[in-house]
Amino acid sequence: MIVAFFGTKGGTGTTTLAVNTAAEVFRLSRRPTVVVDAKPAPGDVAVFLGLRPRYTLIELIDQVGWTDAALAARFVAAHDCGIHVVAASQDFGRPSSRDAEGVEQTLQQLQTVYDTVVVDAGSSLTTSAKAVLTLADVVILVGNPDVPCLRNLQRLTDALRLAGVGGERIRIALNRLSDLGALPAAHIEKALSRPIDFQIGSDYRTAAAAVNAGVPVGALRPTDLHAQINAMARALLEPTPRPTAA
Ligand SMILES: Nc1ncnc2c1ncn2[C@@H]1O[C@H](COP(=O)(O)OP(=O)(O)OP(=O)(O)O)[C@@H](O)[C@H]1O
Ligand SMILES: [Mg+2]
């Protein structure tokens, strides 16, 4: 299964949710799980987990055609929590539009080794990001409860539908719902004429503590943030995707 996280604008929490959901999917399933940082450099997935990988997605793309899991293993970094990481490129602008096919093939090959491939696809709808989102089994659009995100959510779901990503594959995650001044979830659901699939409150203290320690939030003391990420991971592991009002 490929699960892509895509931000409805920068800074909404796409990396936070991608990394922590991947860790939680592994904690629950104990099945091989990798998180791929496909955001054009600089990406933060490896930093969030305190890793300094030798290789990045770009080197893995250059190896396209690999069939040997042992070879692939050379390009991933392992975190103590059990998940593997394919880090973002060090080169600004990569993956570029010319890498779209390579990104797609790399994700397909990773799927032969990993049960769950979680992708941080950033928040720019580049050719490469479109390739990721089109391939993904589930696309989670990460927004904050504010007017720009609401407007972008509407436009993005339309753009994705045109690109062939049907509404049944799209989920909406609203992050930082408890921030002061946040639009109420019911208001957003009404404007979008569809339910919000995942609601995540605001807890900067925990989110920052996890990054500072280079661990997922599940490794810290129990919090609502962890419980909400756990609910997201459980829903993804359910055998039949929950129908959405497309
Ligand atoms: N639920 C939350 N509560 C409080 N703070 C959060 C929450 N989720 C994320 N943050 C914080 O918000 C900031 C941005 O998060 P993150 O880097 O995950 O966003 P992003 O969408 O990946 O950003 P970018 O566009 O730079 O890639 C970080 O400081 C992070 O710790
Ligand atoms: Mg990010």
Side-chain angles (χ1 to χ4, degrees):
M1 163 175 72
I2 298 177
V3 181
F5 285 80
F6 189 75
T8 49
K9 66 179 170 75
T12 55
T14 307
T15 305
T16 303
L17 296 190
V19 164
N20 286 292
T21 305
E24 203 56 22
V25 162
F26 176 75
R27 209 176 64 87
L28 292 169
S29 68
R30 294 279 144 191
R31 305 289 305 160
T33 304
V34 66
V35 49
V36 179
D37 197 338
K39 188 186 163 192
D44 304 318
V45 169
V47 176
F48 269 47
L49 290 168
L51 297 169
R52 287 169 167 250
R54 249 177 96 193
Y55 299 110
T56 74
L57 175 63
I58 299 306
E59 282 87 43
L60 192 52
I61 288 173
D62 290 343
Q63 297 292 320
V64 144
W66 57 264
T67 49
D68 182 358
L71 175 70
R74 284 185 47 199
F75 292 90
V76 303
H79 188 267
D80 286 348
C81 74
I83 61 171
H84 289 177
V85 170
V86 176
S89 162
Q90 305 288 329
D91 305 333
F92 283 90
R94 305 254 339 246
S96 68
S97 53
R98 281 190 299 166
D99 296 314
E101 204 183 323
V103 170
E104 193 179 322
Q105 288 174 356
T106 301
L107 293 181
Q108 276 165 338
Q109 283 168 319
L110 284 170
Q111 248 195 317
T112 65
V113 178
Y114 294 95
D115 282 44
T116 307
V117 179
V118 173
V119 189
D120 178 348
S123 57
S124 306
L125 204 50
T126 60
T127 314
S128 219
K130 265 191 199 157
V132 173
L133 303 182
T134 313
L135 185 66
D137 300 288
V138 180
V139 173
I140 301 183
L141 300 178
V142 183
N144 296 143
D146 57 31
V147 173
C149 277
L150 176 55
R151 194 190 60 143
N152 289 350
L153 267 171
Q154 281 164 325
R155 297 194 316 178
L156 251 179
T157 42
D158 292 344
L160 289 178
R161 230 165 266 164
L162 283 176
V165 185
E168 75 290 347
R169 277 197 275 158
I170 298 176
R171 307 281 182 277
I172 294 177
L174 268 193
N175 189 27
R176 310 193 68 153
L177 257 176
S178 49
D179 271 349
L180 274 178
L183 291 176
H187 177 114
I188 296 175
E189 287 183 328
K190 196 168 168 212
L192 293 175
S193 311
R194 60 156 289 161
I196 291 161
D197 301 273
F198 307 113
Q199 301 192 14
I200 299 104
S202 212
D203 182 356
Y204 183 70
R205 202 176 180 177
T206 301
V211 174
N212 291 343
V215 297
V217 294
L220 306 175
R221 67 182 174 85
T223 52
D224 287 349
L225 181 60
H226 179 225
Q228 288 150 355
I229 286 164
N230 174 278
M232 205 150 102
R234 280 184 194 279
L236 291 171
L237 288 169
E238 268 171 22
T240 37
R242 163 183 179 283
T244 55

